[in-house]
Amino acid sequence: DVKVTQSSRYLVKRTGEKVFLECVQDMDHENMFWYRQDPGLGLRLIYFSYDVKMKEKGDIPEGYSVSREKKERFSLILESASTNQTSMYLCASSFQGVGTNEKLFFGSGTQLSVL
Amino acid sequence: QQQVKQSPQSLIVQKGGISIINCAYENTAFDYFPWYQQFPGKGPALLIAIRPDVSEKKEGRFTISFNKSAKQFSLHIMDSQPGDSATYFCAASRPTNQAGTALIFGKGTTLSVSS
């Protein structure tokens, strides 16, 4: 069965901490994505990657960075966590197929609270 | 900023009724329009998708209607059931700087089907 696993379901951090959110997929997908989900704002794309060591900014990259050293793992980094980064973070992956029929497989999310 | 506008924000439908959720987009470069369904505590999952070369796609009780000239598409859920109660997101696939695409999501519609 297809699986995208996020390392933590709930995370509580303090303002100014460096935070790492980890995501692993077992489907040999080329593409990986990080979204954040906020009530009334839907899912907003933070960063994505189409290959190892490659990354591209999404629509809200400020305050975040990413790392993809291995194909199966995509990490989201909050360099200095702030309270406005309190959110649900969703990781997703997909095949890099021909055309644009990319089915995203999502993890269950990490609810991050920054105090 | 490229956007997908979704309405209504919330919807209450009686069991057996028809649920209709609407989305509109601006960028004609979008070329793939999926709908995702999300249950509490889970990540979104692909429900149904359409490409702009067809005006309608049906899978069971779920139908996408697509109006290319109006740049609108909608999800119809026939014979709505309590098990359909979830949050629904429309999305559109847009080209990126790299070889591939990224999904841009609407803000979501929370559907409640009353029994």
Side-chain angles (χ1 to χ4, degrees), chain B:
Chain B
Q1 188 174 7
Q2 298 166 335
Q3 289 184 343
V4 177
K5 295 182 180 179
Q6 183 172 347
S7 63
Q9 187 173 356
S10 62
L11 184 59
I12 300 174
V13 173
Q14 285 201 334
K15 180 181 176 182
I18 302 173
S19 304
I20 301 174
I21 305 171
N22 300 300
C23 282
Y25 64 98
E26 298 171 350
N27 192 331
T28 54
F30 293 166
D31 60 0
Y32 172 64
F33 301 89
W35 286 88
Y36 279 74
Q37 179 188 53
Q38 184 181 30
F39 293 105
K42 303 289 187 182
L46 179 65
L47 182 64
I48 187 172
I50 197 168
R51 295 177 62 86
D53 53 348
V54 297
S55 60
E56 185 175 283
K57 184 173 182 181
K58 185 176 181 179
E59 291 184 1
R61 296 184 294 107
F62 300 92
T63 300
I64 300 178
S65 297
F66 188 85
N67 186 329
K68 188 174 182 178
S69 61
K71 291 187 282 187
Q72 296 175 346
F73 58 110
S74 59
L75 176 69
H76 295 235
I77 306 174
M78 311 300 289
D79 187 26
S80 299
Q81 299 296 312
D84 297 329
S85 297
T87 300
Y88 293 82
F89 294 97
C90 63
S93 184
R94 66 169 172 87
T96 69
N97 294 334
Q98 300 181 31
T101 60
L103 285 183
I104 303 301
F105 286 85
K107 294 184 177 182
T109 297
T110 302
L111 171 65
S112 297
V113 181
S114 60
S115 53

